[in-house]
């Protein structure tokens, strides 16, 4: 399944819930890239400056990183892509991957269910500037909409929460611009394939999860290529 939507739409939060429900891994390209930056790998060194500016990392680097992750055994039953694909070139690469055409001895998979998060622009800004995450367990909170019991401390493991570097106001504008120009066209790409479902990302977290689970179940029971529900 693919979670499609602007930064701050709630994709990461929902992905964690779907992981728990369906026991499939979340592949977040943003998390994978941040991990590469933290470890100082070659990929991390190449991506660091672009990420700090809020620009997208080149397609070939991201595709290779995703390919290496998707062939791991835990992805065999399915996976949730959060933050990928983000360009038409990445979506075309993913189509070839899912068709089993990238690696030798790779089995083809079903086409993805694609969930598009529709969110009001002002609430995006509030979510992005208010977002804090736990460096230990990865849980995401928001000082405005999903605060912790004790300010700045993870409810689950007590770690001090951190703000992402690229959630600073000046970088956010660039990230939203990259989304509008490069990622928004993907909705049409997947709509043409009959695999797109819209969810109202401005609803509360539980209601969004309900919408996503309904979409997954509808598609599970629908023949491939059938347009299924969604606004
Ligand atoms: P995210 O956590 O998904 O908002 O990603 C943080 C940053 O990582 C983005 O602003 C990009 O610089 C980079 N990034 C993440 N996913 C991709 C992708 N699929 N393609 C290109 N760059 C990406």
């Amino acid at each position: 399944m693919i979670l499609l939507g602007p930064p701050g739409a709630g994709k990461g939060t929902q992905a964690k819930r779907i992981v728990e429900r369906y026991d499939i891994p979340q592949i977040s390209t943003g998390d994978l890239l941040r991990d590469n930056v933290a470890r100082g790998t070659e990929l991390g060194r190449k991506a660091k400056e672009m990420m700090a500016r809020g620009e997208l990392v080149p397609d070939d680097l991201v595709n290779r990183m995703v390919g290496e992750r998707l062939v791991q055994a835990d992805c065999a039953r399915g996976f949730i892509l959060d933050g990928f694909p983000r360009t038409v070139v990445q979506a075309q690469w993913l189509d070839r991957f899912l068709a089993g055409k990238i690696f030798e001895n790779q089995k083809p998979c079903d086409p993805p269910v694609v969930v598009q998060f529709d969110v009001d622009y002002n609430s995006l800004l509030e979510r992005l500037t208010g977002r804090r995450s736990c460096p230990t367990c990865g849980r995401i909170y928001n000082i405005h909409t999903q605060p912790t019991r004790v300010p700045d401390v993870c409810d689950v493991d007590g770690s001090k929460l951190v703000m992402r570097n690229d959630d600073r106001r000046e970088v956010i504008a660039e990230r939203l611009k990259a989304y509008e120009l490069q990622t928004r066209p993907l909705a049409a790409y997947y709509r043409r394939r009959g695999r797109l479902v819209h969810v109202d990302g401005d609803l509360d977290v539980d209601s969004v999860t309900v919408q996503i689970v309904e979409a997954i179940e509808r598609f599970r029971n629908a023949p491939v290529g059938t347009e299924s529900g969604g606004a």
Side-chain angles (χ1 to χ4, degrees), residues 29-30 33-34 51 55 57 83-84 86 90 164 166 175:
T29 43
L33 287 166
R34 279 186 287 278
M51 292 174 73
E55 295 165 11
V57 175
F84 182 91
R86 247 177 161 103
Q90 292 177 14
R164 278 171 44 175
D166 57 357
R175 293 169 62 207

Side-chain angles (χ1 to χ4, degrees), residues 94-102 106-109:
L94 183 65
D95 280 346
R96 289 201 306 280
F97 177 88
L98 296 175
K101 290 182 181 156
I102 301 279
Q106 196 203 334
K107 277 198 241 134
C109 331

Side-chain angles (χ1 to χ4, degrees), residues 134-194:
C134 173
T136 310
C137 70
R139 265 194 182 63
I140 302 160
Y141 299 93
N142 189 293
I143 55 172
H144 310 295
T145 54
Q146 260 189 290
T148 45
R149 283 193 292 271
V150 179
D152 270 344
V153 174
C154 179
D155 287 345
V156 179
D157 54 41
S159 304
K160 186 163 170 37
L161 301 184
V162 292
M163 184 179 188
R164 278 171 44 175
N165 257 341
D166 57 357
D167 281 343
R168 285 174 292 120
R169 268 188 187 277
E170 55 280 19
V171 185
I172 287 172
E174 276 310 310
R175 293 169 62 207
L176 291 174
K177 206 160 83 189
Y179 172 77
E180 286 300 329
L181 285 174
Q182 290 162 283
T183 309
R184 196 183 273 287
L186 290 184
Y189 182 90
Y190 287 112
R191 188 176 302 113
R192 281 197 293 274
R193 286 165 173 68

